[in-house]
Structures are given as C-alpha cells and as structure tokens.
Amino acid sequence: MNWIDIGATTLVLLLAGALIGAMFLIVRVASGDSESSKTVRDMVETLFGTPAHLRSGSDSSSGQADAVSNAKAASGASAAPFREPCPACGAEVTERDAVCPSCELRLL
C-alpha cells in the first residue's frame, strides 16, 4: 500500500468526522433555551431558508394573524382574474381565456 493513500484516506475520514461532530454540536446548542441558542437557531434558519411563518417562536400569535390576513388577501386575489399581455399581439388576456380575443392565439 502506498503511504500517501493511507494518509489521504485518514485525512478525509477525520474531516468527515469533524463535520458530523460540528453538526451535532449545532443541533445541541440550537435545541437549548438560552440566548446563545436563539442566536444559533436564527443563524441556522437563515442559512437553510426556513420561512419566517414556519419558524417556532414567541411571536406565534402575530404570525397567525399575518397568516390569516395573507389567506384573506389570497382569496380576494383569486376572485379577480389574472391579466397579462398576449405574447403575440399585446392585447390583455386572462387565465380564463383559451384563445386571445384579438389575434386568436391559442393560450396554454
């Protein structure tokens, strides 16, 4: 066996072990109730893109109120048809139109 291969394999295994250990450490710190855990939790949620409305926290009542208002806005927006210009002639079409009223382009 070549000593360089053994050294490279050992280095890779040590790095993998260090990464796994760091992940366990972050999970343990983030699962606590101290101030530093809240900071680490916010950092991890920011890095991995957890949306604010899915985050658990003390401001869940305001998050629920925001969710209710967003749901009402979405229901109101779904009642009005979405309008955009026709790709061929530029006339205004809605999502309910199967063909453009002015140039008769078939819409998907």
Side-chain angles (χ1 to χ4, degrees):
M1 290 192 127
N2 191 358
W3 290 104
I4 295 174
D5 291 339
I6 294 171
T9 302
T10 304
L11 179 68
V12 167
L13 290 175
L14 287 174
L15 286 174
L19 286 173
I20 290 173
M23 288 177 9
F24 278 113
L25 179 66
I26 288 175
V27 168
R28 286 195 68 190
V29 169
S31 63
D33 289 331
S34 67
E35 184 64 33
S36 65
S37 69
K38 291 178 184 175
T39 304
V40 171
R41 191 176 310 127
D42 289 340
M43 178 186 68
V44 169
E45 288 174 348
T46 301
L47 286 174
F48 293 110
T50 305
H53 68 280
L54 295 178
R55 294 181 188 171
S56 61
S58 61
D59 60 338
S60 61
S61 61
S62 66
Q64 291 174 352
D66 290 340
V68 169
S69 65
N70 288 343
K72 288 181 182 177
S75 67
S78 64
F82 178 73
R83 298 184 179 277
E84 64 181 357
C86 173
C89 67
E92 193 172 90
V93 294
T94 66
E95 76 268 5
R96 296 177 185 156
D97 294 328
V99 294
C100 176
S102 67
C103 69
E104 298 182 6
L105 176 71
R106 183 173 173 253
L107 304 170
L108 298 177

